[in-house]
Coordinates of all heavy atoms in Angstrom, one line a residue:
M1 N 0.3 1.1 -6.7 CA -0.6 0.0 -6.4 C -1.9 0.2 -7.2 O -2.6 1.2 -7.0 CB -0.9 0.0 -4.9 CG 0.3 -0.3 -4.0 SD -0.2 -0.3 -2.3 CE 1.3 0.1 -1.5
D2 N -2.3 -0.8 -7.9 CA -3.6 -0.8 -8.5 C -4.5 -1.9 -7.9 O -4.1 -3.1 -7.7 CB -3.4 -1.2 -10.0 CG -2.6 -0.2 -10.7 OD1 -2.8 1.1 -10.6 OD2 -1.7 -0.5 -11.5
V3 N -5.7 -1.4 -7.4 CA -6.5 -2.3 -6.6 C -7.7 -2.9 -7.6 O -8.2 -2.0 -8.3 CB -7.2 -1.6 -5.4 CG1 -8.1 -2.5 -4.6 CG2 -6.1 -0.9 -4.6
H4 N -7.8 -4.1 -7.6 CA -8.8 -4.8 -8.4 C -9.7 -5.8 -7.5 O -9.5 -7.0 -7.5 CB -8.2 -5.6 -9.5 CG -7.3 -4.7 -10.4 ND1 -7.7 -3.9 -11.3 CD2 -5.9 -4.7 -10.4 CE1 -6.7 -3.3 -11.9 NE2 -5.6 -3.7 -11.4
I5 N -10.6 -5.2 -6.8 CA -11.4 -6.0 -5.9 C -12.5 -6.7 -6.8 O -13.2 -6.1 -7.5 CB -12.1 -5.2 -4.8 CG1 -11.0 -4.6 -3.8 CG2 -13.1 -6.1 -4.0 CD1 -11.6 -3.7 -2.8
P6 N -12.6 -8.0 -6.7 CA -13.5 -8.8 -7.5 C -15.0 -8.3 -7.2 O -15.3 -8.0 -6.1 CB -13.4 -10.2 -7.1 CG -12.1 -10.3 -6.5 CD -11.8 -8.9 -5.8
R7 N -15.7 -8.0 -8.3 CA -17.1 -7.6 -8.1 C -17.9 -8.6 -7.4 O -18.9 -8.1 -6.7 CB -17.7 -7.3 -9.5 CG -17.1 -6.2 -10.3 CD -17.8 -5.8 -11.6 NE -17.1 -4.8 -12.3 CZ -17.1 -3.5 -12.0 NH1 -17.6 -3.1 -10.9 NH2 -16.4 -2.7 -12.8
D8 N -17.6 -9.8 -7.4 CA -18.4 -10.8 -6.7 C -18.0 -11.1 -5.2 O -18.5 -11.9 -4.5 CB -18.4 -12.2 -7.5 CG -17.0 -12.8 -7.6 OD1 -16.1 -12.1 -7.2 OD2 -17.0 -14.0 -8.1
L9 N -17.0 -10.3 -4.8 CA -16.6 -10.4 -3.4 C -17.8 -10.0 -2.5 O -18.3 -8.9 -2.7 CB -15.3 -9.6 -3.1 CG -14.7 -9.7 -1.7 CD1 -14.0 -11.1 -1.6 CD2 -13.6 -8.7 -1.5
E10 N -18.0 -10.8 -1.5 CA -19.1 -10.4 -0.5 C -18.9 -9.0 0.1 O -17.8 -8.7 0.5 CB -19.1 -11.5 0.6 CG -20.3 -11.4 1.5 CD -20.3 -12.5 2.6 OE1 -19.6 -13.5 2.4 OE2 -20.9 -12.2 3.7
E11 N -19.9 -8.2 0.1 CA -19.7 -6.8 0.6 C -19.1 -6.7 2.0 O -18.3 -5.9 2.2 CB -21.1 -6.1 0.5 CG -21.1 -4.7 1.0 CD -20.2 -3.7 0.2 OE1 -19.7 -4.2 -0.9 OE2 -20.0 -2.6 0.5
K12 N -19.6 -7.6 2.8 CA -19.1 -7.5 4.2 C -17.6 -7.8 4.2 O -16.8 -7.2 4.9 CB -19.8 -8.6 5.1 CG -19.3 -8.7 6.5 CD -20.0 -9.8 7.3 CE -19.6 -9.8 8.8 NZ -18.1 -9.9 8.9
V13 N -17.1 -8.7 3.4 CA -15.7 -9.0 3.3 C -15.0 -7.9 2.7 O -13.9 -7.5 3.2 CB -15.5 -10.3 2.4 CG1 -14.0 -10.5 2.1 CG2 -16.1 -11.5 3.1
R14 N -15.5 -7.2 1.7 CA -14.9 -6.0 1.1 C -14.7 -4.9 2.0 O -13.6 -4.4 2.3 CB -15.7 -5.6 -0.1 CG -15.0 -4.4 -0.9 CD -15.9 -3.7 -1.9 NE -17.0 -2.9 -1.2 CZ -16.8 -1.8 -0.7 NH1 -15.6 -1.2 -0.6 NH2 -17.8 -1.2 0.0
V15 N -15.8 -4.6 2.8 CA -15.8 -3.5 3.7 C -14.7 -3.9 4.8 O -14.0 -3.0 5.3 CB -17.1 -3.3 4.4 CG1 -17.2 -2.3 5.5 CG2 -18.1 -2.7 3.3
D16 N -14.7 -5.0 5.3 CA -13.8 -5.4 6.4 C -12.4 -5.3 5.9 O -11.5 -4.8 6.6 CB -14.1 -6.9 6.9 CG -13.1 -7.3 8.0 OD1 -13.1 -6.7 9.0 OD2 -12.3 -8.2 7.6
T17 N -12.1 -5.8 4.7 CA -10.7 -5.8 4.1 C -10.2 -4.4 3.9 O -9.1 -4.1 4.3 CB -10.7 -6.6 2.8 OG1 -11.2 -7.9 3.0 CG2 -9.3 -6.7 2.3
V18 N -11.1 -3.5 3.4 CA -10.7 -2.1 3.2 C -10.4 -1.5 4.5 O -9.4 -0.7 4.7 CB -11.7 -1.3 2.4 CG1 -11.5 0.1 2.4 CG2 -11.8 -1.9 1.0
A19 N -11.2 -1.8 5.6 CA -11.0 -1.2 6.9 C -9.7 -1.7 7.5 O -8.9 -0.9 8.0 CB -12.2 -1.5 7.8
R20 N -9.4 -3.0 7.3 CA -8.1 -3.5 7.8 C -6.9 -2.9 7.1 O -5.9 -2.7 7.7 CB -8.2 -5.0 7.8 CG -9.1 -5.6 8.8 CD -8.9 -7.1 8.9 NE -9.4 -7.8 7.7 CZ -8.6 -8.5 6.8 NH1 -7.3 -8.5 7.0 NH2 -9.1 -9.0 5.8
E21 N -7.1 -2.6 5.8 CA -6.1 -2.1 5.0 C -5.7 -0.7 5.5 O -4.6 -0.4 5.7 CB -6.6 -2.0 3.5 CG -5.5 -1.4 2.5 CD -4.5 -2.3 2.1 OE1 -4.6 -3.6 2.3 OE2 -3.5 -1.8 1.3
K22 N -6.8 0.0 5.8 CA -6.6 1.4 6.4 C -5.8 1.4 7.7 O -4.8 2.1 8.0 CB -7.9 2.1 6.6 CG -7.8 3.6 7.0 CD -9.1 4.3 7.1 CE -9.0 5.7 7.6 NZ -10.3 6.4 7.6
E23 N -6.2 0.4 8.6 CA -5.5 0.3 9.9 C -4.1 0.0 9.7 O -3.2 0.5 10.3 CB -6.2 -0.7 10.7 CG -7.6 -0.4 11.3 CD -8.3 -1.6 11.9 OE1 -7.6 -2.5 12.4 OE2 -9.5 -1.6 12.0
Y24 N -3.8 -1.0 8.8 CA -2.5 -1.4 8.5 C -1.6 -0.3 8.0 O -0.5 0.0 8.4 CB -2.6 -2.6 7.6 CG -1.2 -3.3 7.2 CD1 -0.7 -4.3 8.0 CD2 -0.6 -3.0 6.1 CE1 0.4 -5.0 7.6 CE2 0.6 -3.6 5.6 CZ 1.1 -4.6 6.4 OH 2.3 -5.2 6.1
A25 N -2.2 0.5 7.0 CA -1.5 1.5 6.4 C -1.1 2.6 7.4 O 0.0 3.2 7.4 CB -2.2 2.1 5.2
Q26 N -2.1 2.9 8.2 CA -1.9 4.0 9.2 C -0.8 3.6 10.3 O -0.1 4.5 10.7 CB -3.2 4.5 9.8 CG -4.1 5.2 8.8 CD -5.4 5.7 9.3 OE1 -5.9 5.3 10.4 NE2 -5.9 6.7 8.6
E27 N -0.8 2.4 10.6 CA 0.2 1.9 11.6 C 1.6 2.0 11.0 O 2.5 2.5 11.7 CB -0.1 0.4 12.0 CG 0.9 -0.1 13.0 CD 1.2 0.7 14.3 OE1 0.2 1.4 14.7 OE2 2.3 0.7 14.8
L28 N 1.7 1.6 9.7 CA 3.0 1.7 9.1 C 3.4 3.2 8.9 O 4.6 3.6 9.0 CB 3.0 1.0 7.7 CG 2.9 -0.5 7.8 CD1 2.6 -1.0 6.4 CD2 4.2 -1.1 8.3
Q29 N 2.4 4.1 8.8 CA 2.7 5.5 8.7 C 3.2 6.0 10.0 O 4.2 6.8 10.1 CB 1.5 6.3 8.2 CG 1.2 6.1 6.7 CD -0.1 6.7 6.3 OE1 -0.2 7.9 6.1 NE2 -1.2 5.9 6.3
R30 N 2.5 5.6 11.1 CA 3.0 6.0 12.4 C 4.4 5.4 12.8 O 5.1 6.1 13.5 CB 2.0 5.4 13.4 CG 0.7 6.3 13.5 CD -0.2 5.9 14.7 NE -0.8 4.5 14.5 CZ -2.0 4.4 13.9 NH1 -2.7 5.4 13.5 NH2 -2.5 3.1 13.8
E31 N 4.7 4.2 12.3 CA 6.1 3.7 12.4 C 7.1 4.4 11.6 O 8.3 4.1 11.8 CB 6.0 2.3 12.1 CG 5.2 1.3 13.0 CD 5.2 -0.1 12.4 OE1 5.8 -0.4 11.3 OE2 4.5 -0.9 13.0
G32 N 6.7 5.2 10.7 CA 7.7 5.9 9.8 C 8.2 5.1 8.6 O 9.1 5.5 8.0
R33 N 7.5 4.0 8.4 CA 7.9 3.2 7.2 C 7.1 3.4 5.9 O 7.5 3.2 4.8 CB 7.7 1.7 7.6 CG 8.7 1.3 8.7 CD 8.9 -0.2 8.8 NE 7.7 -0.9 9.1 CZ 7.5 -2.2 9.0 NH1 8.4 -3.0 8.3 NH2 6.4 -2.8 9.5
W34 N 5.9 4.0 6.1 CA 5.0 4.3 4.9 C 5.0 5.8 4.9 O 4.2 6.5 5.5 CB 3.6 3.8 5.1 CG 2.9 3.7 3.7 CD1 2.8 4.7 2.8 CD2 1.9 2.7 3.4 NE1 2.0 4.3 1.8 CE2 1.4 3.1 2.1 CE3 1.4 1.5 3.9 CZ2 0.4 2.3 1.4 CZ3 0.4 0.7 3.2 CH2 0.0 1.2 2.0
L35 N 6.0 6.4 4.1 CA 6.2 7.9 4.2 C 5.1 8.7 3.4 O 4.7 9.8 3.9 CB 7.6 8.2 3.6 CG 8.9 7.6 4.3 CD1 10.1 8.2 3.5 CD2 8.8 7.8 5.8
H36 N 4.7 8.2 2.3 CA 3.7 9.0 1.5 C 2.7 8.0 0.9 O 3.0 6.9 0.4 CB 4.5 9.7 0.3 CG 5.5 10.7 0.8 ND1 5.1 12.0 1.2 CD2 6.8 10.6 0.8 CE1 6.2 12.6 1.6 NE2 7.3 11.8 1.4
L37 N 1.5 8.5 0.9 CA 0.4 7.7 0.3 C -0.5 8.6 -0.4 O -1.2 9.5 0.2 CB -0.4 6.9 1.4 CG -1.7 6.2 1.0 CD1 -1.5 5.2 -0.1 CD2 -2.3 5.5 2.3
W38 N -0.6 8.6 -1.7 CA -1.3 9.5 -2.6 C -2.3 8.7 -3.5 O -1.9 7.7 -4.1 CB -0.3 10.3 -3.5 CG 0.4 11.3 -2.6 CD1 1.7 11.0 -2.0 CD2 0.1 12.7 -2.4 NE1 2.1 12.2 -1.4 CE2 1.2 13.2 -1.6 CE3 -0.9 13.5 -2.7 CZ2 1.2 14.5 -1.1 CZ3 -0.9 14.8 -2.2 CH2 0.1 15.3 -1.5
R39 N -3.4 9.2 -3.6 CA -4.5 8.6 -4.5 C -4.1 9.2 -5.9 O -3.9 10.3 -6.2 CB -5.9 9.1 -4.1 CG -6.9 8.7 -5.1 CD -7.2 7.2 -5.2 NE -7.7 6.6 -4.0 CZ -7.4 5.4 -3.5 NH1 -6.5 4.7 -4.1 NH2 -8.0 4.9 -2.5
I40 N -4.1 8.3 -6.9 CA -4.1 8.7 -8.3 C -5.5 9.0 -8.7 O -6.4 8.2 -8.7 CB -3.5 7.5 -9.2 CG1 -2.1 7.2 -8.8 CG2 -3.6 7.9 -10.7 CD1 -1.5 6.0 -9.6
V41 N -5.6 10.3 -9.1 CA -7.0 10.9 -9.4 C -7.8 10.0 -10.4 O -7.1 9.7 -11.4 CB -6.9 12.3 -9.9 CG1 -8.2 12.8 -10.4 CG2 -6.3 13.2 -8.8
G42 N -9.0 9.7 -10.1 CA -9.8 8.9 -11.1 C -9.5 7.4 -11.2 O -10.1 6.8 -11.9
Q43 N -8.6 6.9 -10.3 CA -8.3 5.5 -10.3 C -8.4 4.9 -8.9 O -8.1 5.6 -7.9 CB -6.9 5.2 -10.8 CG -6.7 5.8 -12.3 CD -5.3 5.5 -12.8 OE1 -4.7 4.5 -12.5 NE2 -4.7 6.5 -13.6
Y44 N -8.6 3.6 -8.9 CA -8.5 2.9 -7.5 C -7.1 2.4 -7.4 O -6.7 1.3 -7.5 CB -9.5 1.7 -7.5 CG -9.7 1.2 -6.0 CD1 -10.6 0.2 -5.8 CD2 -9.1 1.7 -5.0 CE1 -10.9 -0.3 -4.6 CE2 -9.2 1.2 -3.7 CZ -10.1 0.2 -3.5 OH -10.4 -0.2 -2.2
S45 N -6.2 3.4 -7.4 CA -4.7 3.2 -7.4 C -4.1 4.3 -6.5 O -4.6 5.3 -6.2 CB -4.2 3.3 -8.8 OG -4.8 2.4 -9.7
N46 N -2.9 3.9 -6.0 CA -2.1 4.9 -5.2 C -0.6 4.8 -5.6 O -0.1 3.9 -6.2 CB -2.3 4.7 -3.7 CG -1.5 3.4 -3.2 OD1 -0.3 3.5 -3.2 ND2 -2.2 2.3 -2.9
I47 N 0.0 5.9 -5.3 CA 1.5 6.0 -5.3 C 2.0 6.1 -3.9 O 1.4 7.0 -3.1 CB 2.0 7.2 -6.1 CG1 1.6 7.2 -7.6 CG2 3.5 7.4 -6.0 CD1 2.3 6.2 -8.4
S48 N 2.8 5.3 -3.5 CA 3.4 5.3 -2.2 C 4.9 5.3 -2.1 O 5.5 4.7 -3.1 CB 2.8 4.0 -1.4 OG 1.4 4.1 -1.2
I49 N 5.4 5.9 -1.1 CA 6.8 5.9 -0.8 C 7.1 5.2 0.5 O 6.4 5.6 1.5 CB 7.4 7.3 -0.8 CG1 7.1 8.1 -2.0 CG2 8.9 7.2 -0.5 CD1 8.0 7.8 -3.2
F50 N 7.8 4.1 0.5 CA 8.2 3.4 1.7 C 9.7 3.7 2.1 O 10.5 3.9 1.2 CB 8.0 1.9 1.5 CG 6.5 1.5 1.3 CD1 6.1 1.4 0.0 CD2 5.7 1.3 2.4 CE1 4.7 1.1 -0.2 CE2 4.3 1.0 2.1 CZ 3.9 0.9 0.8
D51 N 9.9 3.7 3.4 CA 11.4 3.7 3.9 C 11.6 2.4 4.6 O 11.1 2.3 5.8 CB 11.4 4.9 4.8 CG 12.9 5.2 5.3 OD1 13.8 4.4 4.9 OD2 13.2 6.1 6.0
V52 N 12.3 1.5 4.0 CA 12.5 0.2 4.6 C 14.1 -0.1 4.4 O 14.8 0.6 3.6 CB 11.7 -0.9 3.9 CG1 10.3 -0.7 4.2 CG2 12.0 -0.9 2.4
E53 N 14.5 -1.1 5.2 CA 16.0 -1.5 5.2 C 16.3 -2.4 4.0 O 17.5 -2.6 3.7 CB 16.3 -2.1 6.5 CG 16.2 -1.2 7.7 CD 17.0 0.1 7.5 OE1 18.2 0.0 7.2 OE2 16.5 1.3 7.8
S54 N 15.4 -3.1 3.4 CA 15.7 -4.2 2.4 C 14.5 -4.5 1.6 O 13.4 -4.2 1.9 CB 16.2 -5.4 3.2 OG 15.1 -6.0 3.9
A55 N 14.9 -5.2 0.5 CA 13.8 -5.7 -0.4 C 12.9 -6.7 0.4 O 11.7 -6.8 0.3 CB 14.3 -6.3 -1.6
D56 N 13.6 -7.5 1.3 CA 12.9 -8.5 2.1 C 11.8 -7.8 3.0 O 10.7 -8.3 3.0 CB 13.8 -9.3 2.9 CG 14.7 -10.3 2.1 OD1 14.3 -10.6 1.0 OD2 15.7 -10.8 2.6
E57 N 12.3 -6.7 3.6 CA 11.4 -6.0 4.5 C 10.2 -5.4 3.7 O 9.0 -5.5 4.1 CB 12.1 -4.8 5.2 CG 11.1 -4.1 6.1 CD 11.8 -2.9 6.8 OE1 13.0 -2.7 6.7 OE2 11.1 -2.1 7.5
L58 N 10.5 -4.9 2.5 CA 9.4 -4.4 1.7 C 8.4 -5.5 1.2 O 7.2 -5.3 1.3 CB 9.9 -3.6 0.4 CG 8.9 -3.0 -0.5 CD1 8.0 -2.0 0.2 CD2 9.5 -2.4 -1.7
H59 N 9.0 -6.6 0.9 CA 8.2 -7.7 0.4 C 7.3 -8.2 1.6 O 6.0 -8.3 1.4 CB 9.0 -8.9 0.0 CG 8.2 -10.1 -0.4 ND1 7.5 -10.2 -1.6 CD2 7.9 -11.3 0.2 CE1 6.9 -11.2 -1.6 NE2 7.1 -11.9 -0.6
E60 N 7.8 -8.3 2.7 CA 6.9 -8.7 3.9 C 5.9 -7.7 4.2 O 4.7 -8.0 4.5 CB 7.8 -8.9 5.2 CG 8.7 -10.1 5.1 CD 8.0 -11.4 4.9 OE1 6.9 -11.6 5.5 OE2 8.4 -12.2 4.0
L61 N 6.3 -6.4 4.1 CA 5.3 -5.3 4.3 C 4.1 -5.3 3.4 O 3.0 -5.3 3.6 CB 6.0 -4.0 4.2 CG 5.4 -2.6 4.4 CD1 6.5 -1.6 4.9 CD2 4.6 -2.2 3.3
L62 N 4.5 -5.5 2.0 CA 3.5 -5.5 1.0 C 2.6 -6.8 1.1 O 1.4 -6.7 0.9 CB 4.2 -5.4 -0.4 CG 4.8 -4.1 -0.6 CD1 5.6 -4.1 -2.0 CD2 3.9 -2.8 -0.6
W63 N 3.4 -7.9 1.3 CA 2.6 -9.2 1.4 C 1.5 -9.1 2.5 O 0.5 -9.8 2.5 CB 3.6 -10.3 1.7 CG 3.1 -11.7 1.6 CD1 2.6 -12.5 2.5 CD2 3.1 -12.5 0.3 NE1 2.2 -13.7 2.0 CE2 2.5 -13.7 0.7 CE3 3.6 -12.2 -0.9 CZ2 2.4 -14.8 -0.3 CZ3 3.5 -13.3 -1.8 CH2 2.9 -14.5 -1.5
G64 N 1.8 -8.3 3.5 CA 0.9 -8.2 4.7 C -0.3 -7.2 4.4 O -1.2 -7.2 5.3
L65 N -0.3 -6.6 3.3 CA -1.4 -5.7 3.0 C -2.7 -6.6 2.9 O -2.8 -7.5 2.1 CB -1.2 -4.9 1.7 CG -0.1 -3.9 1.7 CD1 0.2 -3.5 0.2 CD2 -0.7 -2.6 2.4
P66 N -3.7 -6.2 3.7 CA -5.0 -7.0 3.5 C -5.5 -7.0 2.1 O -6.1 -8.0 1.6 CB -5.9 -6.2 4.5 CG -5.0 -5.7 5.5 CD -3.7 -5.2 4.8
L67 N -5.4 -5.9 1.3 CA -5.8 -5.9 -0.1 C -4.8 -6.5 -1.0 O -5.0 -6.6 -2.3 CB -6.1 -4.5 -0.5 CG -7.4 -3.8 0.0 CD1 -7.4 -2.4 -0.4 CD2 -8.5 -4.5 -0.5
F68 N -3.6 -7.1 -0.5 CA -2.6 -7.6 -1.4 C -3.2 -8.5 -2.5 O -2.7 -8.5 -3.6 CB -1.5 -8.3 -0.6 CG -0.4 -8.8 -1.4 CD1 0.6 -8.0 -2.0 CD2 -0.3 -10.1 -1.7 CE1 1.6 -8.5 -2.7 CE2 0.7 -10.7 -2.5 CZ 1.6 -9.9 -3.0
P69 N -4.0 -9.4 -2.0 CA -4.5 -10.5 -3.0 C -5.3 -9.8 -4.2 O -5.4 -10.4 -5.2 CB -5.5 -11.3 -2.2 CG -5.1 -11.2 -0.8 CD -4.6 -9.6 -0.7
Y70 N -5.6 -8.6 -4.1 CA -6.5 -7.9 -5.2 C -5.7 -6.8 -5.8 O -6.2 -5.9 -6.3 CB -7.7 -7.3 -4.5 CG -8.5 -8.3 -3.6 CD1 -8.8 -8.0 -2.3 CD2 -8.9 -9.5 -4.1 CE1 -9.5 -8.9 -1.5 CE2 -9.6 -10.5 -3.3 CZ -9.8 -10.1 -2.0 OH -10.5 -11.0 -1.2
M71 N -4.3 -6.8 -5.6 CA -3.5 -5.7 -6.1 C -2.5 -6.1 -7.1 O -2.0 -7.2 -7.1 CB -2.7 -5.1 -4.9 CG -3.4 -4.2 -3.9 SD -2.3 -3.6 -2.7 CE -3.2 -2.3 -2.0
D72 N -2.3 -5.2 -8.1 CA -1.1 -5.3 -8.9 C -0.2 -4.1 -8.4 O -0.6 -3.0 -8.4 CB -1.5 -4.9 -10.4 CG -2.4 -6.0 -11.0 OD1 -2.1 -7.3 -10.6 OD2 -3.3 -5.8 -11.7
I73 N 1.0 -4.5 -8.0 CA 2.0 -3.6 -7.5 C 3.2 -3.5 -8.3 O 3.8 -4.5 -8.7 CB 2.4 -4.0 -6.0 CG1 1.2 -4.1 -5.1 CG2 3.4 -3.0 -5.5 CD1 1.5 -4.6 -3.7
T74 N 3.7 -2.3 -8.7 CA 4.9 -2.0 -9.4 C 5.9 -1.4 -8.4 O 5.5 -0.4 -7.8 CB 4.6 -1.1 -10.6 OG1 3.6 -1.7 -11.4 CG2 5.9 -0.9 -11.4
I75 N 7.1 -2.0 -8.4 CA 8.0 -1.5 -7.4 C 9.1 -0.7 -8.2 O 9.6 -1.2 -9.2 CB 8.7 -2.7 -6.7 CG1 7.7 -3.5 -6.0 CG2 9.7 -2.1 -5.6 CD1 6.9 -3.0 -4.9
M76 N 9.5 0.5 -7.7 CA 10.6 1.2 -8.3 C 11.5 1.6 -7.1 O 11.2 2.6 -6.3 CB 10.1 2.5 -9.0 CG 9.4 2.2 -10.3 SD 8.9 3.7 -11.2 CE 7.3 3.8 -10.4
P77 N 12.6 1.0 -6.9 CA 13.6 1.4 -5.9 C 14.1 2.7 -6.1 O 14.4 3.2 -7.2 CB 14.7 0.3 -6.0 CG 14.2 -0.8 -6.9 CD 13.2 -0.2 -7.7
L78 N 14.1 3.5 -5.0 CA 14.6 4.9 -5.1 C 15.9 5.1 -4.2 O 16.0 4.4 -3.2 CB 13.6 5.9 -4.6 CG 12.2 5.8 -5.4 CD1 11.2 6.7 -4.6 CD2 12.4 6.2 -6.8
T79 N 16.7 6.0 -4.6 CA 17.9 6.3 -3.7 C 18.0 7.9 -3.8 O 17.5 8.5 -4.7 CB 19.2 5.6 -4.1 OG1 20.1 5.8 -3.1 CG2 19.7 6.2 -5.4
R80 N 18.8 8.4 -2.8 CA 18.9 9.9 -2.8 C 19.5 10.5 -4.0 O 20.5 9.9 -4.6 CB 19.8 10.2 -1.5 CG 19.9 11.7 -1.3 CD 20.5 12.0 0.1 NE 20.6 13.5 0.2 CZ 19.6 14.4 0.4 NH1 18.4 13.8 0.5 NH2 19.8 15.6 0.5
H81 N 19.0 11.6 -4.5 CA 19.6 12.3 -5.7 C 20.6 13.2 -5.2 O 20.5 13.9 -4.2 CB 18.5 13.1 -6.4 CG 18.9 13.5 -7.8 ND1 19.8 14.6 -8.0 CD2 18.5 13.1 -9.0 CE1 19.9 14.7 -9.2 NE2 19.2 13.9 -9.9
G82 N 21.7 13.3 -6.0 CA 22.9 14.1 -5.5 C 22.5 15.6 -5.5 O 23.3 16.3 -4.8
S83 N 21.5 16.0 -6.2 CA 21.1 17.5 -6.2 C 20.0 17.7 -5.2 O 19.6 18.9 -5.1 CB 20.7 17.9 -7.6 OG 21.7 17.7 -8.6
A84 N 19.6 16.8 -4.5 CA 18.4 17.0 -3.6 C 18.8 18.0 -2.4 O 20.0 17.7 -1.9 CB 17.9 15.7 -3.1
I85 N 18.1 18.9 -2.1 CA 18.5 19.8 -1.0 C 17.7 19.5 0.2 O 18.0 20.1 1.2 CB 18.1 21.3 -1.5 CG1 16.7 21.5 -1.7 CG2 19.1 21.7 -2.6 CD1 16.3 23.0 -1.9
T86 N 16.8 18.4 0.2 CA 16.1 18.1 1.4 C 16.4 16.6 1.8 O 16.8 15.9 0.8 CB 14.6 18.3 1.3 OG1 14.1 17.5 0.2 CG2 14.3 19.7 1.1
Ligands
LIG1 O1 -6.9 2.5 -1.8 C1 -5.8 2.1 -2.1 O2 -5.1 2.6 -2.9 C2 -5.2 0.8 -1.3 C3 -4.8 1.3 0.1 C4 -3.6 1.6 0.5 C5 -3.7 1.9 1.9 C6 -5.1 2.0 2.1 O3 -5.7 2.3 3.1 O4 -5.8 1.6 1.0

């Protein structure tokens, strides 16, 4: 996920949106659907791993991100590797 918050976005709106994004992300982590959330060093971007049942569920989850309007998101579906030991 690459975040591009407009520079002219009102500061109060930016702060509120980022706070709601954190709440949303932490709730999904508590639910076990947002498995990993890592910051890409030096960028306003993250790498995330989600555990969902369908593309529809992932779409709804991402669409609901408060920062979604300001994001470029690249999706790479993953499945279990035959050599994985965990
Ligand atoms: O900061 C980001 O990468 C966007 C984001 C995802 C979850 C969150 O709290 O912020």
Side-chain angles (χ1 to χ4, degrees):
M1 298 180 202
D2 298 315
V3 183
H4 304 286
I5 297 177
R7 294 189 184 284
D8 62 353
L9 186 68
E10 190 183 337
E11 178 62 5
K12 180 181 181 307
V13 173
R14 186 194 66 78
V15 170
D16 175 67
T17 305
V18 169
R20 288 186 295 110
E21 179 85 5
K22 181 175 182 177
E23 287 172 25
Y24 185 84
Q26 293 185 336
E27 177 56 28
L28 287 170
Q29 290 173 77
R30 283 189 288 270
E31 291 174 2
R33 294 198 290 163
W34 196 325
L35 300 185
H36 299 282
L37 170 56
W38 291 86
R39 172 66 71 218
I40 297 177
V41 174
Q43 299 179 34
Y44 196 175
S45 301
N46 74 72
I47 296 285
S48 291
I49 304 281
F50 296 93
D51 183 1
V52 293
E53 296 299 320
S54 67
D56 286 344
E57 182 184 350
L58 181 59
H59 179 73
E60 289 305 313
L61 184 159
L62 295 175
W63 191 270
L65 288 165
L67 284 174
F68 180 81
Y70 313 120
M71 284 181 162
D72 292 323
I73 301 176
T74 302
I75 308 292
M76 286 180 271
L78 302 174
T79 191
R80 182 170 179 71
H81 193 289
S83 302
I85 61 172
T86 57

